């Protein structure tokens, strides 16, 4: 019985290289980036059912192709975005956006609950199947030895996988997303119209030591000062 318990115990990753922190990273960024726009390296999910992420590299014009993203989820939150006009190639801001999936703010500053908005109803999309408002989820993944996390924006088709992972593998085990190492990969799926697409899937690679968890909790708290203010762009959904 003891052997079985040892075999099924979650591995502790004690050699995960954390960023070198000196003070509150959120306060430091807010001070240094005052009046400027901070951007995080954005990971793109390929179209057509591809199985490799597009990850920014040394050459901005030629992103790296990586089959897995491995790191600590230091922040994640829902975002909703609605564009009145069909996408035509420009990276226009949405006509209405929500940074918490609850309250939408249009370009005139008007606020409206998302749960009562007709554009957030099923069947409101142009094809009559989905929603006119795109329900997405931002996931910030801090890879080993890096200072800033990657930003992976999940489309609606990947939300259930994230929800199952966080609920069944993280929270139900008494863990937190910033206290474990997560592996993200892609699988090919097909929608009702027969179109192939790529779906993000999540796996638990191991947990951090208590000291590492404490450090990541502080990092997570600090980075949210910036991540929760980052405006939504069309490139996150396309």
């Amino acid at each position: 019985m003891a052997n079985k318990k040892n075999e099924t115990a979650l591995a502790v990753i004690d050699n995960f290289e954390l960023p070198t922190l000196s003070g509150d990273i959120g306060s430091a960024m807010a001070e240094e980036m005052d009046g400027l726009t901070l951007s995080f390296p954005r990971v793109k999910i390929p179209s057509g059912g591809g199985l490799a992420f597009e990850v920014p590299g040394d050459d901005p014009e030629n992103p790296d192709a990586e089959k897995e993203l491995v790191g600590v989820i230091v922040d994640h939150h829902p975002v909703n975005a609605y564009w009145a006009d069909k996408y035509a190639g420009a990276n226009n801001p949405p006509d209405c956006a929500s940074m918490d999936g609850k309250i939408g703010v249009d370009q005139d500053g008007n606020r409206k609950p998302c749960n009562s908005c007709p554009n957030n109803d099923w069947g409101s999309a142009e094809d009559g199947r989905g929603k006119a408002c795109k329900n997405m989820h931002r996931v910030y993944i801090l890879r080993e030895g890096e200072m800033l996390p990657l930003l992976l924006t999940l489309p609606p088709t990947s939300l259930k996988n994230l929800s199952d992972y966080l609920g069944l593998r993280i929270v139900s085990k008494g863990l937190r997303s910033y206290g474990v190492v997560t592996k993200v990969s892609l699988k090919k799926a097909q929608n009702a119209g027969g179109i192939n697409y790529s779906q993000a899937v999540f796996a638990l690679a191991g947990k951090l030591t208590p000291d590492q968890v404490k450090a990541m909790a502080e990092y997570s708290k600090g980075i949210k000062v910036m991540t929760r203010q980052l405006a939504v762009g069309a490139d996150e959904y396309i």
Side-chain angles (χ1 to χ4, degrees):
M1 188 68 178
N3 290 337
K4 182 177 180 180
K5 182 178 180 180
N6 290 336
E7 290 174 359
T8 59
L10 184 61
V12 176
I13 302 177
D14 57 5
N15 60 348
F16 190 88
E17 184 183 348
L18 302 180
T20 302
L21 305 176
S22 56
D24 182 351
I25 188 172
S27 298
M29 285 187 178
E31 180 179 345
E32 296 292 346
M33 299 299 295
D34 185 26
L36 303 174
T37 301
L38 176 67
S39 62
F40 293 89
R42 293 191 177 185
V43 177
K44 292 185 178 181
I45 295 178
S47 60
L51 299 180
F53 295 100
E54 291 185 15
V55 181
D58 295 333
D59 183 355
E61 300 301 321
N62 294 288
D64 298 331
E66 300 188 19
K67 291 188 175 182
E68 292 182 347
L69 303 176
V70 180
V72 177
I73 296 177
V74 292
D75 190 20
H76 67 88
H77 64 95
V79 289
N80 293 343
Y82 168 71
W83 287 269
D85 297 325
K86 190 174 181 179
Y87 179 72
N91 188 21
N92 296 324
D95 294 275
C96 182
S98 171
M99 296 304 295
D100 60 4
K102 299 175 182 178
I103 300 297
V105 182
D106 66 21
Q107 292 186 352
D108 295 323
N110 300 311
R111 298 167 62 86
K112 182 177 182 180
C114 295
N115 61 8
S116 61
C117 179
N119 290 319
N120 200 34
D121 289 340
W122 288 104
S124 59
E126 187 176 2
D127 60 8
R129 291 196 295 265
K131 297 181 179 183
C133 182
K134 308 307 178 186
N135 300 158
M136 301 171 284
H137 202 99
R138 284 175 168 173
V139 181
Y140 291 87
I141 303 171
L142 182 66
R143 299 199 290 185
E144 184 174 10
E146 297 188 356
M147 183 61 71
L148 288 178
L150 298 173
L151 169 54
L152 171 64
T153 303
L154 300 178
T157 49
S158 291
L159 298 189
K160 186 178 185 304
N161 291 344
L162 176 64
S163 178
D164 288 347
Y165 172 69
L166 293 175
L168 300 177
R169 301 300 308 279
I170 304 298
V171 177
S172 67
K173 306 297 183 183
L175 303 170
R176 296 298 301 268
S177 57
Y178 57 72
V180 301
V181 176
T182 297
K183 180 175 69 175
V184 191
S185 56
L186 295 167
K187 72 175 182 179
K188 186 176 181 180
Q190 190 175 81
N191 66 15
I195 298 176
N196 294 325
Y197 64 93
S198 303
Q199 193 176 72
V201 293
F202 299 81
L204 191 54
K207 63 181 182 180
L208 300 177
T209 66
D211 287 344
Q212 290 174 322
V213 173
K214 183 178 179 180
M216 283 294 91
E218 289 299 315
Y219 180 97
S220 175
K221 180 181 178 181
I223 203 71
K224 288 178 182 178
V225 174
M226 307 304 295
T227 58
R228 301 300 177 101
Q229 299 181 20
L230 188 63
V232 181
D235 59 332
E236 286 192 78
Y237 183 75
I238 301 305

